Each structure stands twice: as structure tokens, then as C-alpha cells.
Amino acid sequence: MHRTIQFLGSSSGFLFQRLKLHGNHYYYAKPSSRLIISRSPLYFRQFRASSIRSESNPDAASSSSSAPAPFRLTDNARKINFCQLCGGPTKREIPDGDEKERAICTLCGKIAYENPKMVVGCLIEHDNKILLCKRNIQPSFGLWTLPAGYMEIGESASEGAIRETWEEAGAKVEIISPFAQLDIPLIGHSYVIFLAKLITPHFSPGPESSECRLFALDDIPYESLSFSSMLITLNLYIEDIKVGKPKYHYGLINKRPGTGPSEIHAYTFDYHLRI
């Protein structure tokens, strides 16, 4: 089983040269191609089999004798009982040419596809402090978070992060660089967090926040953070600062089924790639 991540390279077309992957193996593909990260087939049993072939073993993908089992509806999938187009009742079947069980309208035949949501936000550095917002809404009411929220149609990830920061913290920011992408398969969320700086040293809570505050790194309220994604992001940032400067991170947050958003320690952090 292979997973593929495409990274931007330099003008010469080479991939980033400094990689550190925790708990896994990696190797380089040729310039201007993909980085192939090999994972245990057992670990990725829940994922769709990839048809990508390894640069070092081009016959690997074709040597498998068994086809992947079709996806089945899982407990965390949203139950769609009625068609969003005509309002007719749905049934759950695997459509022709598909692998996953989906809601299909029994009247018009429309298939309901469910896609993950992207959450974008900013980790704002100012005078060696980090800007956090205390949530004024559920879930995780009264807990601290980086300014972040769902990306909207018609905007880029960075534009969404800037907008969310303005809405939640009343702060005008400039994006410095991408910092982390954290996927949470259980709930269908993908977080994209950017490093940013304040354009002006002014901020104030928006409707979704009751308070905004700059925290020194030693004073970050780790036990009062809103989500596991916030805990991991801040921990990664602190680790990077201790060894020099921020890197770029990718990883999977595997939340323990049945736990709530504010149970921030109920997870494992897997497949961590640091660049």
C-alpha cells in the first residue's frame, strides 16, 4: 500500500531535501515527481487501495492478487434519508463502478456524495507570544483555540484563514507560510494552519469569541484547549521553536471513537511527516 503526497519544489524541480518521518519509512522519487511513503497494509486497511506504483518497484501495484473490499457505511457517516434534489427517500447501495455504500434517491436516482470539510486558521506570532481565542459557541464553549473555521466556496485556504482570524479575533494578519495539515478521518475534517503575523497590534473578540489574548509560550493553557487539533498544532510549534525554527507538518489525528471534541487527549497522532 502506498500513499502519495505532492510537494512544491524549488525552481529546479526537486523535492524538499530535508525530511523527517516519525514511525514510518520514506524514500525519494526522482526530481519533479512524487514522494512515495510506504505504510503497512494493515494500517491502511480502512483506506482505498492505491494504484500508484513505486519508483523502485514498478510491478508492486500489479502483483496484488486480491481486490480491496468495498467500503461500507460507518457509524461516523452522516445518515442521509432524503434526496437533496427532489426530496424522495433514499436507499443505501454501492453504485455501479463505485466501492462505497452511498445514499441513492429511490425516485430520481441522484447519488449523495459526502466530502470532508476543510478547516483553515492562523497560528499568529507576536512578540514571542501566540494569539488565542476563547470560544463563545459550542462545541468546546469557553475553551481556547487558534482562530480557525470552515473554508468557504470562492476563497483560497489562506484567504479563508485570514477571514476567520478577522471574524473571531478582529485581527488583520499577514500569512507567513503554511505550517500544518492535520487530517481527522473519523469526523471528515482536514485542518490547514498557517503561520501569520499581526499587521497592526490590535485585536478584539468577535461574536464567536468571548476573549482574545496573547499567551507567552510557557503560559499556553494546554488543559483548556478546545480540540485535539489545537493541542497538536501548538505542541508541534513549541517543538520546532526549541530546535530552531518552524517546519511544515502533515499528520493524521485518529480520534478515539465515541469521544467528544473537547476530549483533547483522546487521540493518536500518526503518519507524521515533518519537512
Side-chain angles (χ1 to χ4, degrees):
M1 179 69 69
H2 298 90
R3 302 269 300 170
T4 304
I5 301 175
Q6 180 75 56
F7 293 101
L8 295 177
S10 65
S11 58
S12 62
F14 283 83
L15 294 170
F16 289 113
Q17 294 300 307
R18 213 175 152 196
L19 299 176
K20 185 177 181 183
L21 184 60
H22 296 276
N24 305 288
H25 302 287
Y26 64 82
Y27 56 88
Y28 285 106
K30 64 184 181 180
S32 300
S33 65
R34 298 180 177 89
L35 172 66
I36 309 296
I37 301 174
S38 178
R39 289 286 303 196
S40 164
L42 292 176
Y43 182 86
F44 279 102
R45 183 179 296 166
Q46 60 183 317
F47 291 94
R48 181 176 182 177
S50 171
S51 61
I52 298 169
R53 296 187 179 184
S54 162
E55 289 283 338
S56 61
N57 186 9
D59 296 324
S62 60
S63 62
S64 175
S65 60
S66 60
F71 282 103
R72 298 296 177 186
L73 185 67
T74 56
D75 291 339
N76 57 297
R78 185 165 59 97
K79 304 298 188 294
I80 301 176
N81 297 318
F82 299 97
C83 178
Q84 296 174 332
L85 183 64
C86 73
T90 63
K91 61 180 178 180
R92 295 202 171 271
E93 289 184 353
I94 300 175
D96 292 340
D98 206 334
E99 296 175 335
K100 185 175 182 180
E101 188 179 78
R102 304 186 188 276
I104 304 173
C105 180
T106 58
L107 298 182
C108 70
K110 179 178 174 58
I111 302 171
Y113 293 97
E114 300 176 78
N115 299 309
K117 292 186 177 182
M118 181 173 286
V119 180
V120 292
C122 288
L123 195 166
I124 300 162
E125 310 163 303
H126 185 75
D127 290 340
N128 297 316
K129 297 180 179 180
I130 300 298
L131 182 63
L132 297 179
C133 303
K134 181 178 284 188
R135 288 177 62 84
N136 197 37
I137 57 173
Q138 294 289 1
S140 301
F141 178 89
L143 300 178
W144 293 93
T145 181
L146 298 172
Y150 292 124
M151 181 176 166
E152 299 279 4
I153 297 295
E155 65 184 5
S156 67
S158 60
E159 289 170 341
I162 291 171
R163 173 186 54 76
E164 287 289 342
T165 300
W166 172 252
E167 291 177 358
E168 296 187 4
K172 295 182 178 180
V173 297
E174 178 183 340
I175 297 293
I176 299 173
S177 67
F179 176 68
Q181 179 178 343
L182 306 173
D183 293 338
I184 313 179
L186 183 69
I187 60 173
H189 284 180
S190 182
Y191 278 76
V192 176
I193 304 295
F194 295 88
L195 292 180
K197 63 181 181 180
L198 292 173
I199 295 176
T200 60
H202 303 295
F203 52 86
S204 60
E208 296 184 0
S209 305
S210 60
E211 184 180 353
C212 298
R213 189 192 305 178
L214 286 168
F215 286 90
L217 301 186
D218 292 336
D219 296 330
I220 291 173
Y222 286 104
E223 294 307 315
S224 298
L225 294 176
S226 57
F227 307 113
S228 300
S229 55
M230 299 295 105
L231 176 63
I232 291 172
T233 298
L234 289 166
N235 279 335
L236 292 174
Y237 178 77
I238 298 298
E239 290 175 8
D240 287 352
I241 292 300
K242 287 180 178 178
V243 298
K245 64 179 183 179
K247 309 290 186 180
Y248 176 78
H249 302 266
Y250 172 79
L252 294 180
I253 302 174
N254 286 308
K255 289 286 288 186
R256 189 163 67 238
T259 58
S262 60
E263 296 178 79
I264 61 174
H265 297 289
Y267 72 90
T268 60
F269 187 44
D270 303 311
Y271 195 40
H272 179 200
L273 175 67
R274 175 185 282 127
I275 300 174

